[in-house]
Each structure stands twice: as C-alpha cells, then as structure tokens.
Amino acid sequence: MFDRRFYKKSAKNQLRGRLGTAALATLVSFVIIAIITATPAAERINSSTNAIPASYAIIDSTETQTAQIPSYGAPGFTPNISFSSVPFIIILFYLSVTGILSFSLCHLFNVYYSNPSKIPFSEFIRGFSHPFKAAFTCIWIFLWICFWFCIFIIPGFVKSYAYSQTFFILAENPKIGVLKAVRMSKIMTKGYKADLFVMTLSFIGWNILAAFTFGILQLWLTPYTMLSFTNAYKDLKAMAIRSGVLTQEDFN
C-alpha cells in the first residue's frame, strides 16, 4: 500500500540529527545549477530552484504556444527552467548536469535510507562516478517526455511519473542499463502514478513557504522531499517484487 504520510514522516526521522551532509549536497547542487545558468552561453535560460513539480516551457520561435513539461530529473531536485529559443547544445549541457546531480543525490539518499548513522559528504561525491550514464538518462527521459507532451498534455504528465523511479534504480545499481531501468520504473509505478502525483502536491505548501525564506528553507526541504520519494521508491520496489511483476534479480 502506498502510504505517503508514512514516507514523509520517516524522512523527517531519517534526517533528524544528520541533516548536514544532505543540506550541503543540496547547496552545492543549487550553486552548480546557478553557475551554469548564469553563464553568457545560457543567458536566455531563466531558472529557479523550486522543488518538484518543475515546469519546462519550450517555446517555438514561430509560435506563441507554450508547453509545460514536468520534472525529468530526480524527484525533489529538478530546478525550473524555461527554454526559449535556446541552442540545442546548451539544452543538452544543462540536461547533462541536471542528470549527473540527480544521480548523485539519489545515491546519497539511498545511503541515507540504508544507513542510520551520520553520512559523510564523500557519499555525495561518490555519486558522480557514472556521469555519462547519468547524463544520458536525463536526456533520454526528457526527450520521451517531450514526445508524449507533443501528443497531449495529460500523457506528458503521466509519463513523467512513469519514469520517475529511473534515477533511484540506477543509483542503487549502476550496472543496470538505462533502457531497462526506464522499463522497470514504468512497471513499478503502474497503478501508483496518481499516488506519486498527490505526494508531489503535498509539498506545494512547503515550497511556497520556502519562497519567503529566499530559498534558505530549501536546504531542509529538498532533502526532506528527496528522502520521502526515496522511501516511496523502496516501497514500490518491495511491492513490485512481492507481486511478481519484477524480481530481485532485476534490481541486481
């Protein structure tokens, strides 16, 4: 049974007394995003560090219509960004950095889940050991979400939640192929996408409050959100194995 209240309550307990590394990893991630979006090459990219659900506006240079695309990175960490006639190579670069950071954060919070002791910052650094796979994963998911969003808005949102467990799967076992991880995520989230959506909405109040703290609250909110979704991932994984739609060997 998907129990978002339990996942969130557990996340608070898991962070109690050991927020330091998670907050520092969040700060480093946001600083990196801020730096790459402040460069002259990315001057047309407008970003913020709001937590999920993130929106992405892709604006055709000949049209005025805007398509809103939800999060493609790790749940809890996908800074909002507006792509407006931005060179494709810049978009790829941004997606690559977002993917690498998402992979590292998912690795970090997988460790938070499994290890009750204080977590060293080196665990966050260790998450950077698979940059190419992380970058490709983010780009691959983004392209598929764009494809589904071009068909209609609702499929785009639905598929974003179908792919939402991919980074957690890969961070837990990087030997799994990206395409297999995406398929596994779709299987795991079957019947639970609405629950994940409601869980996303449950953080909106916190994000509004964080806006009044000039983002300072995000140093706690992002780890809280990420760890809540990590707990959800672990439960979805267990339920998928119990039901027989996936096996432990799939995750190994």
Side-chain angles (χ1 to χ4, degrees):
M1 177 180 177
F2 192 97
D3 190 348
R4 62 181 173 83
R5 292 184 178 86
F6 174 74
Y7 305 147
K8 295 172 71 174
K9 181 179 180 180
S10 297
K12 290 180 180 178
N13 292 331
Q14 290 161 332
L15 286 172
R16 188 170 292 119
R18 52 183 192 148
L19 175 63
T21 294
L24 181 57
T26 299
L27 178 61
V28 169
S29 299
F30 285 166
V31 168
I32 292 174
I33 292 295
I35 290 174
I36 67 171
T37 56
T39 59
E43 62 183 0
R44 302 176 78 171
I45 297 180
N46 299 314
S47 67
S48 67
T49 54
N50 294 332
I52 58 173
S55 296
Y56 307 88
I58 299 182
I59 306 175
D60 192 300
S61 59
T62 61
E63 301 288 342
T64 58
Q65 296 179 343
T66 300
Q68 296 298 322
I69 299 179
S71 173
Y72 51 72
F77 177 76
T78 311
N80 289 351
I81 180 170
S82 178
F83 296 131
S84 179
S85 302
V86 178
F88 189 63
I89 189 66
I90 301 300
I91 296 176
L92 290 180
F93 175 69
Y94 185 93
L95 291 173
S96 297
V97 174
T98 300
I100 293 169
L101 292 173
S102 295
F103 189 101
S104 186
L105 287 170
C106 283
H107 168 77
L108 176 65
F109 289 106
N110 271 325
V111 175
Y112 262 87
Y113 176 90
S114 59
N115 189 345
S117 61
K118 288 192 175 183
I119 308 300
F121 187 73
S122 59
E123 286 295 344
F124 176 65
I125 303 300
R126 190 173 301 169
F128 287 86
S129 57
H130 300 276
F132 296 109
K133 174 168 283 191
F136 176 74
T137 301
C138 195
I139 294 170
W140 183 255
I141 291 176
F142 175 78
L143 291 176
W144 271 108
I145 292 177
C146 285
F147 169 77
W148 288 109
F149 225 88
C150 287
I151 295 177
F152 194 61
I153 294 176
I154 294 178
F157 277 102
V158 171
K159 289 298 182 180
S160 71
Y161 285 99
Y163 305 147
S164 63
Q165 306 306 298
T166 304
F167 274 102
F168 287 120
I169 294 170
L170 292 174
E172 191 173 48
N173 186 356
K175 294 182 180 180
I176 296 175
V178 173
L179 303 188
K180 180 181 178 181
V182 171
R183 290 195 298 270
M184 290 169 64
S185 178
K186 290 191 290 185
I187 293 172
M188 290 172 62
T189 56
K190 187 176 182 180
Y192 297 102
K193 288 184 280 292
D195 294 297
L196 289 166
F197 175 67
V198 172
M199 186 166 167
T200 296
L201 294 179
S202 70
F203 290 99
I204 288 180
W206 280 111
N207 280 283
I208 293 174
L209 182 61
F212 290 99
T213 67
F214 302 100
I216 296 176
L217 184 59
Q218 287 290 348
L219 297 181
W220 172 81
L221 179 55
T222 295
Y224 170 44
T225 305
M226 284 285 303
L227 197 46
S228 296
F229 277 97
T230 302
N231 292 332
Y233 159 70
K234 296 293 186 179
D235 209 18
L236 289 172
K237 173 184 173 181
M239 289 188 288
I241 293 174
R242 283 199 303 269
S243 65
V245 294
L246 291 172
T247 66
Q248 184 62 53
E249 287 70 26
D250 289 319
F251 290 92
N252 292 336

